[in-house]
Amino acid sequence: MKKTILYTSLSVSLLLASASCNNSSKGGNAADYENKSAEAASHVIEYTNLLIDISNKQNDYIDRVLENLDKIEKGLHKPDDHFAFIGIISPSYHGPLRYSKVKAEEPVDELSSEDKKFFKEKVGVYNTAFKKIQDQYGQLSDYLKAQDYKDDKSVKGLALVDSVRLSTQQLLTIKAELIGKVNKIADASEAIVLKDSPLKDYILAMKADLQAVRSFIDIVESDSSFTKVKDKAQTAYNALEKAQSEHSQIKIDNAKEAHKDNAYKLFYDRMHDFLLESRKILRDAGDAGSLTQYQLDNLNRNYDYLIERYNSFNS
């Protein structure tokens, strides 16, 4: 399916800002950040985390749009069918929670001059590309509400479907370049922040668990036949359950002293909820032989919530 391919591409960039991304040729120059203070490095990470947070929030919107496009396209080919456009849910986008006064359009001063220029330009291009998708989909939605397909035999509607898909691919291209630089800059800054940080163990635990959650979701998304990946998925789930149990019990003294104990607890409460939902999904998928798109969306949505909790801890 076109939607599944596009969603997988989106998922690649859902790694938190401090995750490793060493295969990007367009990353930031780590040497520009090696001598930064821990405070300056924290400001850089706060900015890059915001960009990741925005990207994650937009994924739900894009995912819904792509899912709708498949249904709309089928409906436009059979517009006389009374059930042609049943099950189409309007997408919505709500911006990220604001943990600080940092704004995506205003790169922080602690970035190198070259990187500030890069983000100033690319974030603007990225925002424009996302707005274009919203506008095009809005036109398509109005077209359906007015039933204009009855006048032109679906010609304009099908053209709009193609335009939204093309715009989404263009957005992904911009996003890949943007996130590639985000990750490399965040890696360099994170090394500074974690070097002598009393919060190091907490951050590394959450980071490892986020990456493991992403790998688990990638496994269950990798094949339409759940039977083929069932054992691998169960092994990944068991490892997640073990990690959640161990990491949630780390001594909280240093986090409490930094007033981060509640944020840490919320992360692992959310991960506990993710595990409960995953266990149910694995059971149902085992019976059905496959996962529904709704189940996959739930897993990805809960992953986004975990990233929010991670970013909250690091704000």
Side-chain angles (χ1 to χ4, degrees):
M1 287 175 61
K2 296 182 180 70
K3 187 189 87 69
T4 303
I5 294 171
L6 287 166
Y7 192 87
T8 301
S9 299
L10 284 166
S11 299
V12 170
S13 61
L14 293 186
L15 295 174
L16 60 155
S18 56
S20 177
C21 184
N22 296 322
N23 60 350
S24 171
S25 62
K26 291 188 175 291
N29 185 355
D32 292 337
Y33 298 92
E34 289 176 352
N35 297 319
K36 295 281 187 181
S37 67
E39 182 178 6
S42 294
H43 289 164
V44 171
I45 291 175
E46 186 174 14
Y47 178 73
T48 53
N49 276 348
L50 174 61
L51 296 183
I52 291 290
D53 198 16
I54 290 172
S55 175
N56 291 338
K57 289 290 186 180
Q58 291 174 348
N59 282 344
D60 284 341
Y61 178 89
I62 295 296
D63 182 43
R64 177 62 65 193
V65 165
L66 294 175
E67 185 175 345
N68 286 350
L69 289 182
D70 288 338
K71 296 175 181 177
I72 292 170
E73 184 176 40
K74 291 178 182 178
L76 288 173
H77 283 299
K78 296 180 179 179
D80 294 330
D81 184 347
H82 293 300
F83 301 100
F85 303 106
I86 293 295
I88 296 173
I89 302 173
S90 296
S92 60
Y93 169 64
H94 304 287
L97 298 175
R98 291 292 183 176
Y99 304 116
S100 71
K101 295 181 180 179
V102 174
K103 297 180 181 179
E105 300 80 10
E106 300 174 9
V108 294
D109 292 336
E110 288 80 3
L111 290 163
S112 69
S113 57
E114 181 181 346
D115 289 338
K116 281 185 69 175
K117 180 180 179 182
F118 173 89
F119 285 119
K120 190 75 173 178
E121 175 188 347
K122 292 298 179 182
V123 169
V125 172
Y126 182 79
N127 287 342
T128 299
F130 182 71
K131 181 65 165 55
K132 182 179 180 181
I133 293 172
Q134 290 179 303
D135 291 343
Q136 288 176 333
Y137 187 83
Q139 292 176 46
L140 180 58
S141 180
D142 289 346
Y143 177 87
L144 294 178
K145 289 176 183 177
Q147 298 185 349
D148 288 338
Y149 48 83
K150 294 182 178 179
D151 298 328
D152 67 354
K153 297 183 179 179
S154 300
V155 172
K156 182 178 179 180
L158 290 170
L160 282 169
V161 167
D162 288 341
S163 294
V164 177
R165 284 193 177 127
L166 178 59
S167 295
T168 302
Q169 292 285 18
Q170 292 170 342
L171 179 76
L172 292 177
T173 299
I174 300 167
K175 182 176 182 178
E177 186 177 1
L178 184 64
I179 299 304
K181 184 177 279 285
V182 159
N183 287 337
K184 202 163 186 179
I185 289 173
D187 277 350
S189 298
E190 183 192 48
I192 296 170
V193 172
L194 292 184
K195 184 177 180 181
D196 300 310
S197 173
L199 301 178
K200 179 178 180 178
D201 290 343
Y202 310 113
I203 293 173
L204 291 180
M206 289 186 289
K207 177 179 175 179
D209 290 338
L210 276 171
Q211 292 171 334
V213 167
R214 181 69 258 162
S215 295
F216 167 73
I217 296 174
D218 287 345
I219 289 170
V220 299
E221 284 185 326
S222 64
D223 201 300
S224 58
S225 173
F226 180 71
T227 305
K228 295 180 180 179
V229 298
K230 181 178 180 180
D231 292 342
K232 192 174 181 180
Q234 188 62 53
T235 298
Y237 172 84
N238 292 342
L240 278 175
E241 197 169 50
K242 182 173 183 291
Q244 194 276 340
S245 177
E246 293 177 353
H247 292 160
S248 64
Q249 298 303 314
I250 291 177
K251 287 186 178 180
I252 208 74
D253 296 357
N254 288 338
K256 186 175 292 185
E257 187 173 340
H259 305 292
K260 296 287 187 178
D261 50 319
N262 285 334
Y264 188 75
K265 182 178 183 300
L266 284 172
F267 178 92
Y268 282 101
D269 285 347
R270 176 63 74 175
M271 188 170 174
H272 176 70
D273 292 340
F274 175 86
L275 291 171
L276 295 178
E277 177 73 10
S278 297
R279 194 155 72 233
K280 178 179 180 296
I281 287 175
L282 290 179
R283 184 187 304 112
D284 292 345
D287 294 338
S290 63
L291 275 78
T292 66
Q293 190 59 51
Y294 178 78
Q295 289 171 324
L296 292 174
D297 289 347
N298 268 351
L299 290 176
N300 280 289
R301 193 172 296 112
N302 285 324
Y303 172 64
D304 290 350
Y305 293 151
L306 280 172
I307 291 179
E308 284 184 5
R309 298 273 60 84
Y310 174 87
N311 286 346
S312 178
F313 182 92
N314 283 281
S315 63

